[in-house]
Amino acid sequence: MGRSRNNRRGPAAEAVVEAVDGGLAQLVPDPDRARAWTLLIDGAPQSHVDLDDPAYLSFEYQRRLGHVIDLAAPPGKPVQAVHLGGGAFTLARYVAATRPRSTQQVVERDAALVQLVRRALPLDPGARIRVRSVDAREGLAKVPDVWADLIVADVFSGARTPAHLTSTEFLDEVRRALKPSGVYAANVADGPPLAHLRGQIATAAARFPEVALIADPAVLRGRRFGNAVLAASALPLPLAELTRRAACDPHPARVEHGRRLTDFTGGAAPVTDEAAVASPAPPPSVFD
């Protein structure tokens, strides 16, 4: 692929625009990084990938997921990971770069998007990454019992997380597929009054004894729509180091857990399949 007038050599790289199952996909070259691209679906940013440096995470919520991934096992140790929601495979590439010899499964329902990303932003052929083009919950059901060290959920359809990926029954499948020491991390998007986020915390707490939330203070205060990262495990989470990394990020975040997280949840009830609804749609101004 070409390079832009800034750091790219030769002609400026051009955006790739293609219809996929979930809408209109655009791969837009990053003017500041030689072989980096942002994926948008119907104008909503989904992923950023730097083919030269897959350990680089541009989006703040993906960096927060990266902190959880970094602390899920000793540095550099290979893991068995499941990624629900593929996008441009940013986090699978990150795990492959930071934890070589890891074995990963990516579940991305949009088969046309998978084909586009494979063609335009090819995976390292040496990376042990298998991609399944099925529904996230269907794909999770095919993961063997106690197989995964790490399960990451980052699934959006039309900028909303589907209802069937927000329930206790869904988390029962997550627990089944996780090793006893495994870690679950989810990207949760919400805005004031944060009813969806509170419900997701309550749902996670109903299935995991250890839960933490990483988020921008402005989002936690209900001042704006944004992303929060939910981390959960059967074993204690590395809260001190997670807090340090979140605070030192270019966009500092707060880590809530224990009593403060319980108070923040405000008595919200766990979400079941019967009562589940999709996450709220972001206001148009979020992508301005």
Side-chain angles (χ1 to χ4, degrees):
M1 295 179 182
R3 295 171 178 250
S4 81
R5 57 185 176 274
N6 289 345
N7 291 340
R8 301 172 195 269
R9 298 190 184 98
E14 295 183 357
V16 178
V17 181
E18 197 167 300
V20 296
D21 299 339
L24 188 67
Q26 296 172 275
L27 287 172
V28 180
D30 183 334
D32 298 319
R33 300 182 75 88
R35 296 176 65 226
W37 301 77
T38 299
L39 168 68
L40 301 94
I41 304 291
D42 288 339
Q46 301 288 324
S47 302
H48 179 280
V49 169
D50 187 335
L51 296 176
D52 287 335
D53 183 9
Y56 173 76
L57 298 176
S58 176
F59 291 0
E60 60 187 62
Y61 88 86
Q62 290 187 323
R63 287 198 302 276
R64 291 166 190 164
L65 286 168
H67 299 328
V68 177
I69 292 169
D70 289 345
L71 299 172
K77 181 183 178 182
V79 296
Q80 296 181 167
V82 178
H83 302 268
L84 304 176
F89 314 148
T90 303
L91 291 173
R93 298 174 200 262
Y94 180 81
V95 171
T98 59
R99 298 182 177 278
R101 303 182 308 283
S102 291
T103 301
Q104 302 185 76
Q105 298 185 34
V106 176
V107 183
E108 171 54 62
R109 182 174 185 171
D110 194 327
L113 177 61
V114 169
Q115 292 174 6
L116 169 62
V117 172
R118 280 190 178 279
R119 185 178 71 250
L121 307 175
L123 288 165
D124 179 348
R128 299 162 64 178
I129 300 173
R130 179 182 181 184
V131 183
R132 296 172 183 244
S133 295
V134 296
D135 173 78
R137 193 151 155 182
E138 180 183 344
L140 178 60
K142 296 182 184 301
V143 176
D145 292 356
V146 298
W147 182 85
D149 297 291
L150 176 70
I151 296 179
V152 178
D154 186 16
V155 185
F156 287 86
S157 176
R160 303 177 72 184
T161 300
H164 68 294
L165 305 180
T166 67
S167 66
T168 51
E169 290 88 343
F170 166 67
L171 288 186
D172 286 337
E173 276 295 293
V174 170
R175 284 295 305 262
R176 176 197 61 76
L178 274 176
K179 295 178 181 178
S181 59
V183 175
Y184 171 67
N187 175 24
V188 182
D190 199 10
L194 300 178
H196 174 72
L197 178 58
R198 297 179 206 278
Q200 289 305 286
I201 298 167
T203 304
R207 291 298 182 265
F208 289 94
E210 301 292 334
V211 179
L213 187 74
I214 313 168
D216 184 311
V219 173
L220 291 175
R221 295 188 190 109
R223 293 182 179 174
R224 67 173 181 85
F225 193 98
N227 298 82
V229 167
L230 195 59
S233 179
L235 299 181
L237 294 162
L239 295 170
E241 182 61 16
L242 204 55
T243 299
R244 187 191 72 78
R245 293 185 183 216
C248 293
D249 190 84
H251 292 87
R254 216 164 65 207
V255 176
E256 298 288 11
H257 58 91
R259 172 55 60 186
R260 289 182 60 171
L261 186 59
T262 300
D263 291 345
F264 175 81
T265 306
V271 176
T272 63
D273 274 347
E274 185 177 4
V277 296
S279 66
S285 60
V286 167
F287 306 123
D288 288 347

